[in-house]
Structures are given as C-alpha cells and as structure tokens.
Amino acid sequence: MGPSDLRTARMGDASGGRGTDRSPRTSRRAVLKAGVGALLAGALPGLPRAARADERAVSPLRGPFSLVSGLGGNVLVRATPEGQVIVDSGSPGQAGALLDALESLPGAGRVDALLNTHWHLDQVGGNETFGARGTTIVAHEKTRLRLAHGYYLRDEDRYREAMPAAALPTETLRDRRDLELGGERIEVGYLLEAHTDGDVYVHFTGAGIVAVGDAVSPLRDPELDWFGGGWLGGRVDALARLLEVGDDTTLYVPSYGPAVRRADVAAEHDMMLALFERTTELLRRGYSADEMLAAGVMDDLPRSLAEPAKFLHDVHQSLWAHHNTISHDIV
Ligand SMILES: [Zn+2]
C-alpha cells in the first residue's frame, strides 16, 4: 500500500467507521492542531521543568499541592488542615522514600486519604503501608477487584498474587463519586478503558487540578494495557471527558512527566483520534500491526513515539478485542 492508499484510508467513507457514531465531539474530520509540539515536556512556561521519570523530586505545584516524582508514578500531594491527601502511592519498595518525601511537605504526619488512579504497581505499591496506618483508600471497583484477587500477566504467563488486605481500596466507585476532603470537593470519575479497566481521574475542584494517571502521557509513549482492559477507542473517549472536566486554568497531572495544560490534553486527544481513525480503517482491511506501521499510520503526526511498533501492537490487539464495536460489517 502506498501513501495515496493511506490517504484514501484516512479520508475514506465514514459509514463503516465508528467515528461518526462515537460522539458529536469526535468528528472524522478532526484536524491535528498546531501547537501539539507543546506536548514535549518542558515546553510549558510557568510549569515545573520536566523531571526525568526516574529522577526523585519533590516540587511545589499550586497552592497546597505538591508533586513527588521518581518513586514509580507521580504522587500528587494536597496538604489539608488535618494532614495530607495523596493520589497514588508509588512503586513497591518505595514506600519508605515516599513517607520521607511526605514528611518534608506541609500537613506532614497523617495521610487521611489515598486515591488510586488505577491498579498498576507503579500506582499502588505503597498502598499497604498507608492502609495499615488507617488511611482511607479510594479507587474504582475494578481496581479493588484486581488487587483483591490477583490477575493474569499474559506476557509472563503467570498470575500476580492478591495484595494484603491493608492494601485494598476501602471505598470504591463505578462511575463517579464526590468526596469532601480538606474543605474541598473532590470528584472521582471513571475513564472507561482508557489504559486499563480501572482508570479514574481525581479532580480537585477548588484548585483546578486533575490527576489523570496514565490516561494522559506527555512524557512516555501512550500505553494501552489491552489485556488489562485498555483500548484506543476508550482512550479517545477518556481524553474527551478530561477536556470537559477542566478549563484553560486547569493543571492535569499525569503519572509520568510534568503537569500539563488543557491544550496539551486536546493535542493528545486529537492525535489519538487520528490514530483511531487510521488504524480502524486498516484493521478492517486486514492489516497487521507491522503492516500498519509500514503503511505509514504514524507518519505526519505532531509527535513521534519512542517505540511505535510496540504501541501499534497494543493498539492492534486492543482493536481486535473490540472488533464487535468498531464496525458494523466485521462479524
Ligand atoms: Zn499504568
């Protein structure tokens, strides 16, 4: 297939694609906007410089908020009059370092609540430490189920064992839940199949800060844990939902990399939507992931990925897992 074929694929009749009936927001004619290059970490004036993902750092964010990075996924910290509220708990084995970091921040001494953006180990590694100290742990019900029962690791052909009772979420949600913590309303909402099957955003409504876990990836390649329930269509929808949650003053805090602005989330949404349209079209024609790459689906995008072949492999697997929903004529 040559470039002109790909162009045809991109601009092809929408009647067979999912794009037209996904939602009014996701027009097939969505055009990649200029300025997506701002996705590049560090390009945002007024925001903390991008730390390397493995660089331990504690940085102030806005008002009573701080960011602890380099202990797994980012840990967002909000100081309250009673103590601290945190989003995610870092990797296993890093709880001591995380406690040290929290000790250096306002509100030190007690963590009232821990909210998990999803069930990957980089986000729940410190859960047991906090749960054992009486911290309330909030997460999606699917996250609780994963942690309570263990789950199959397809690439390693083994099961990950259940976590101890102290590590498990004590309060869960299925679609949305509002909490009142430290005098601020915190909205927790499901991001259906954005990255896993248990992703949520955590919106601190007073401060205009949204923790988004791995549903937004300004630094690392976007990751679809397709076997864990993530897929490209879910990611597009999740990014659209996140655009509705915030405004131009909102800070979005991903698991890796610096906080980003709504325009950056919009750029990632547009790029994922373009990839959804390109890859679903080629999937319907029977292309493998490697053939999609060779056909140029990653060309002419505002951002290049470090491992496009891996990303497309996961996209491909995730699309097949949803083949019954992406087109009416695949049976
Ligand atoms: Zn993850």
Side-chain angles (χ1 to χ4, degrees):
M1 181 166 112
S4 60
D5 291 314
L6 179 58
R7 194 169 305 117
T8 306
R10 288 175 199 167
M11 305 304 288
D13 174 13
S15 62
R18 186 166 181 262
T20 46
D21 58 8
R22 289 169 58 72
S23 83
R25 293 186 304 274
T26 53
S27 160
R28 285 182 71 86
R29 282 198 291 272
V31 176
L32 294 171
K33 294 182 176 67
V36 179
L39 268 177
L40 294 173
L44 303 165
L47 293 179
R49 183 187 64 82
R52 286 203 347 259
D54 58 351
E55 194 176 294
R56 294 187 185 190
V58 180
S59 37
L61 200 58
R62 171 187 283 174
F65 289 83
S66 306
L67 200 56
V68 179
S69 15
L71 302 175
N74 282 334
V75 177
L76 177 64
V77 186
R78 186 204 196 279
T80 75
E82 297 84 34
Q84 293 168 332
V85 173
I86 64 176
V87 181
D88 288 331
S89 62
S91 292
Q94 299 283 12
L98 178 55
L99 287 172
D100 288 346
L102 294 176
E103 202 57 41
S104 71
L105 291 169
R110 174 173 172 75
V111 176
D112 287 318
L114 157 63
L115 300 100
N116 289 137
T117 58
H118 60 294
W119 45 266
H120 279 161
L121 282 186
D122 272 7
Q123 283 70 37
V124 301
N127 272 27
E128 184 181 5
T129 297
F130 293 99
R133 293 163 174 238
T135 297
T136 298
I137 304 177
V138 183
H140 193 270
E141 176 63 18
K142 296 241 179 176
T143 292
R144 189 190 70 77
L145 290 170
R146 293 266 181 186
L147 301 185
H149 298 287
Y151 48 92
Y152 181 59
L153 298 167
R154 187 176 183 276
D155 290 346
E156 301 172 35
D157 191 22
R158 68 180 179 89
Y159 281 87
R160 173 159 287 142
E161 290 184 2
M163 282 194 157
L168 303 181
T170 50
E171 295 187 22
T172 63
L173 66 141
R174 290 194 182 275
D175 184 55
R176 215 184 109 170
R177 183 161 186 165
D178 286 357
L179 309 166
E180 192 79 26
L181 290 168
E184 182 173 19
R185 187 174 69 82
I186 301 175
E187 178 187 309
V188 188
Y190 196 19
L191 296 171
L192 179 66
E193 300 174 326
H195 164 70
T196 66
D197 59 7
D199 304 296
V200 296
Y201 66 85
V202 181
H203 184 197
F204 294 85
T205 58
I209 292 183
V210 190
V212 295
D214 279 328
V216 179
S217 288
L219 189 66
R220 296 186 172 189
D221 286 358
E223 184 193 344
L224 296 169
D225 182 347
W226 68 271
F227 196 76
W231 82 295
L232 187 54
R235 195 172 186 89
V236 173
D237 290 343
L239 288 162
R241 184 165 185 185
L242 290 174
L243 291 175
E244 291 176 351
V245 165
D247 60 29
D248 289 343
T249 67
T250 303
L251 289 181
Y252 293 84
V253 179
S255 272
Y256 304 96
V260 296
R261 298 285 190 178
R262 189 172 183 277
D264 305 303
V265 177
E268 189 163 329
H269 167 270
D270 292 351
M271 180 167 158
M272 291 301 117
L273 176 58
L275 283 167
F276 178 84
E277 292 171 347
R278 294 177 184 185
T279 55
T280 49
E281 186 66 36
L282 295 185
L283 186 86
R284 295 175 67 240
R285 297 186 187 188
Y287 279 60
S288 69
D290 287 343
E291 287 167 343
M292 288 180 181
L293 185 60
V297 289
M298 303 299 291
D299 294 352
D300 307 322
L301 293 172
R303 174 183 171 191
S304 57
L305 302 186
E307 295 183 87
K310 180 194 181 303
F311 175 74
L312 277 180
H313 170 268
D314 293 346
V315 165
H316 194 266
Q317 295 283 10
S318 82
L319 290 177
W320 270 116
H322 290 79
H323 69 276
N324 61 328
T325 62
I326 60 175
S327 178
H328 60 79
D329 58 358
I330 295 179
V331 292

